[in-house]
Amino acid sequence: MHSAPFLAKLALFAAVGLLSIYPTREFLSWRAALKQGRVPVVDPRKLRRIRSIIHWELAGVALLLLFAALMARGIGYFG
């Protein structure tokens, strides 16, 4: 049987991975402008959205570390 921190950690890992798709695609779309030595033109709303997603990702990584520590201590183990 799996522990609650393990399942939460697994779900968070998947969520952080899915959240990273949007910023990664945006960053990759900037390559053409960067190769030409230009600064990519980005809508301020899009920048706020990317920044917000990255903040959520960082919070998810912090929670992953917390759940890993809980797992190491055996907290939440059903069995």
Side-chain angles (χ1 to χ4, degrees), residues 20-46:
S20 71
I21 292 171
Y22 179 74
T24 301
R25 290 178 56 98
E26 285 299 318
F27 297 151
L28 291 175
S29 73
W30 299 350
R31 282 191 296 184
L34 292 171
K35 282 183 181 180
Q36 296 172 358
R38 294 183 294 121
V39 176
V41 177
V42 185
D43 181 41
R45 288 180 304 175
K46 190 175 276 193

Side-chain angles (χ1 to χ4, degrees), residues 1-72:
M1 178 116 330
H2 296 292
S3 67
F6 172 77
L7 295 174
K9 187 176 161 191
L10 189 62
L12 262 174
F13 183 78
V16 168
L18 290 172
L19 278 173
S20 71
I21 292 171
Y22 179 74
T24 301
R25 290 178 56 98
E26 285 299 318
F27 297 151
L28 291 175
S29 73
W30 299 350
R31 282 191 296 184
L34 292 171
K35 282 183 181 180
Q36 296 172 358
R38 294 183 294 121
V39 176
V41 177
V42 185
D43 181 41
R45 288 180 304 175
K46 190 175 276 193
L47 275 179
R48 279 193 303 275
R49 184 173 182 187
I50 290 170
R51 194 173 288 135
S52 175
I53 290 171
I54 290 173
H55 286 156
W56 281 106
E57 287 181 84
L58 289 172
V61 169
L63 285 173
L64 280 171
L65 295 172
L66 172 66
F67 292 144
L70 292 174
M71 285 174 56

